[in-house]
Amino acid sequence: MSGETEIPRPRLTQGTLLLASMLTIMAGATIAPALPAIQREFVNVPNAGVLVGLVLTMHGLFIAVGSPIIGMLADRYGRRWLLLVSTVVYALAGGSGFVLDSLIAILVGRAVLGLAVAGVMVTVTALITDYYEENRRDTILGRQGAFMSIGGVVLLPLAGVLADINWRVPFLVYTVALVLLPAMVLGLPEPSRHEPTRDHPTSLDDIRQTLARLPVGTLGLIAALGLIGQIIFYMTPLQIPFYLEMQTRASGTMIGAALAASTGAGGVASLLYGRIRRSLSVIAIVALTFGFMSVGYTVIGVSRSVFGVVVGVTIAGAGSGFLLTNLNAWIAAVTPESVRGRALSLLTSAFFLGQFLSPIVVRPVSEIVGLGTAFLGVGALLAGGAIIIALTNGYITSLTDSESEVYLHH
């Protein structure tokens, strides 16, 4: 793809891609402030505590499962049609919680929502990497991260207000995705293909050929960082509502505002990504990410007021704002276009598997040691990780650069 000159409506194209990116943050953020009310509604359901946590994260498991299939379909058959279908399913499945009366049925709706989010996230990011090149691509990926965070800033306070009306009302927010369909039709042309479709996998031998064109070691490292980072980051939307309610008896509106501070800080960080990337390697930015999150989680752990928690989630949010943007840019830089959809889907799977695993990993620990101690412990682990990554920056960079150079010219 030669860049923006091949896009008939560049402003509409960029605006549509950025607005569509907001749908991914909506998947969880929209109902996060309603979690305490949902738990009260279904308090008599066996294992209600775990199941209500899965209402926020169930979509993550199905994003993880569905993303490789989505990536394969996007590489083989094209991005645009898949994005359109995913957007329609997103609106219907996301809004289903407004009318469903069973916690299990709501979880089924969240599972279908996850498949739709996988379609949106993989295709939108693939389109960005197809349409733009080099520094321009890093800038647009930074803006994508910012818009995802802006979506949280707008939606979380709104979701908090809606949750105070009734826990069902926030589910209606998902239906606004339908508004984007006309812009997607008009503003997102299907990228031209550099390689014939016969090069896409249709058999076991073709799959082996695909793997031969991927820097597997580098992608494994990227996926691991995404998985670990998201398990840790999702402590914020999953645990902070309960932490604030327990410590300060905060309302849904207050909880939404606190979570919005985190996503707002992430948006600012994402906007700065293009500039920071010109000065730091992707590995160094990973260390920076973990460092910010470490400080933020430590502040949360020692805080007993709304103000202290807001300061902590803001600092942590600034670090997390680099995470997905940085890893997406890293993948785009080290993979050939013909298999990029599948490479991006690997990160999407790891990222949202981390969301799904977060309550399963964190909840038992927090119930034993308390939420405050859990945040302090994770803060200490993040600090250690940031130091190790910073000290081995040059070594890791040389290894991944050497592997990627081979595959880009395979």
Side-chain angles (χ1 to χ4, degrees):
M1 180 67 63
S2 62
E4 295 172 80
T5 56
E6 295 186 11
I7 304 173
R9 301 178 179 88
R11 290 185 179 179
L12 178 61
T13 296
Q14 184 179 151
T16 303
L17 290 169
L18 296 178
L19 289 173
S21 298
M22 293 172 63
L23 300 180
T24 60
I25 190 68
M26 285 171 57
T30 299
I31 63 164
L35 287 182
I38 295 174
Q39 182 157 317
R40 288 191 294 269
E41 177 73 16
F42 295 103
V43 67
N44 294 323
V45 175
N47 300 313
V50 174
L51 292 177
V52 169
L54 291 177
V55 169
L56 185 66
T57 61
M58 175 63 81
H59 70 286
L61 174 63
F62 282 82
I63 295 171
V65 171
S67 289
I69 300 172
I70 295 292
M72 181 186 68
L73 293 173
D75 280 342
R76 186 174 183 190
Y77 297 110
R79 332 287 203 198
R80 184 171 175 267
W81 72 271
L82 200 52
L83 176 58
L84 293 172
V85 172
S86 298
T87 301
V88 173
V89 175
Y90 178 100
L92 297 177
S96 66
F98 181 74
V99 297
L100 297 175
D101 292 320
S102 162
L103 186 54
I104 299 301
I106 291 173
L107 287 172
V108 171
R110 302 297 290 177
V112 177
L113 173 67
L115 296 175
V117 174
V120 172
M121 189 166 188
V122 171
T123 54
V124 167
T125 305
L127 284 170
I128 290 174
T129 61
D130 288 341
Y131 290 155
Y132 307 102
E133 293 182 340
E134 304 297 336
N135 291 335
R136 182 64 172 164
R137 181 175 59 204
D138 288 343
T139 298
I140 300 299
L141 286 171
R143 290 177 184 173
Q144 180 193 31
F147 266 71
M148 291 169 68
S149 297
I150 289 169
V153 172
V154 174
L155 285 169
L156 282 164
L158 173 62
V161 172
L162 296 177
D164 283 339
I165 297 172
N166 187 283
W167 65 266
R168 293 183 179 276
V169 179
F171 286 94
L172 290 177
V173 176
Y174 292 100
T175 60
V176 303
L178 298 175
V179 176
L180 290 177
L181 285 176
M184 290 177 178
V185 172
L186 295 173
L188 301 181
E190 182 64 37
S192 59
R193 315 300 294 183
H194 285 294
E195 299 186 24
T197 56
R198 63 179 173 83
D199 284 346
H200 296 292
T202 56
S203 68
L204 187 59
D205 287 339
D206 292 331
I207 291 173
R208 291 195 186 102
Q209 291 175 19
T210 296
L211 292 175
R213 292 182 300 204
L214 289 172
V216 177
T218 300
L219 291 178
L221 174 61
I222 293 171
L225 290 170
L227 176 70
I228 295 169
Q230 198 67 354
I231 288 175
I232 293 171
F233 166 71
Y234 231 65
M235 285 181 68
T236 300
L238 188 63
Q239 304 298 338
I240 288 298
F242 298 100
Y243 190 61
L244 281 173
E245 188 177 59
M246 175 182 67
Q247 296 285 356
T248 67
R249 298 185 182 277
S251 66
T253 302
M254 183 68 71
I255 292 169
L259 294 177
S262 173
T263 56
V268 173
S270 296
L271 283 175
L272 296 174
Y273 177 77
R275 296 180 181 179
I276 294 172
R277 179 67 184 91
R278 287 191 283 271
S279 302
L280 297 176
S281 70
V282 287
I283 296 294
I285 295 175
V286 171
L288 185 67
T289 296
F290 283 8
F292 268 92
M293 293 177 69
S294 170
V295 173
Y297 276 39
T298 301
V299 171
I300 293 170
V302 300
S303 296
R304 296 297 180 267
S305 67
V306 172
F307 176 77
V309 172
V310 169
V311 171
V313 298
T314 300
I315 297 171
S320 66
F322 294 124
L323 185 63
L324 182 59
T325 300
N326 187 45
L327 299 181
N328 275 331
W330 193 355
I331 287 177
V334 301
T335 56
E337 181 184 316
S338 61
V339 291
R340 193 173 292 153
R342 275 156 284 185
L344 290 167
S345 73
L346 175 66
L347 175 59
T348 301
S349 292
F351 209 71
F352 284 93
L353 181 61
Q355 281 192 15
F356 175 76
L357 291 176
S358 185
I360 298 173
V361 173
V362 174
R363 182 99 181 191
V365 176
S366 65
E367 287 179 349
I368 295 173
V369 303
L371 277 174
T373 303
F375 276 108
L376 281 173
V378 171
L381 289 174
L382 284 166
I387 292 170
I388 292 171
I389 292 170
L391 292 175
T392 57
N393 174 20
Y395 177 71
I396 297 174
T397 298
S398 64
L399 285 181
T400 57
D401 283 353
S402 297
E403 182 188 34
S404 302
E405 188 69 20
V406 172
Y407 290 94
L408 281 172
H409 297 91
H410 186 79

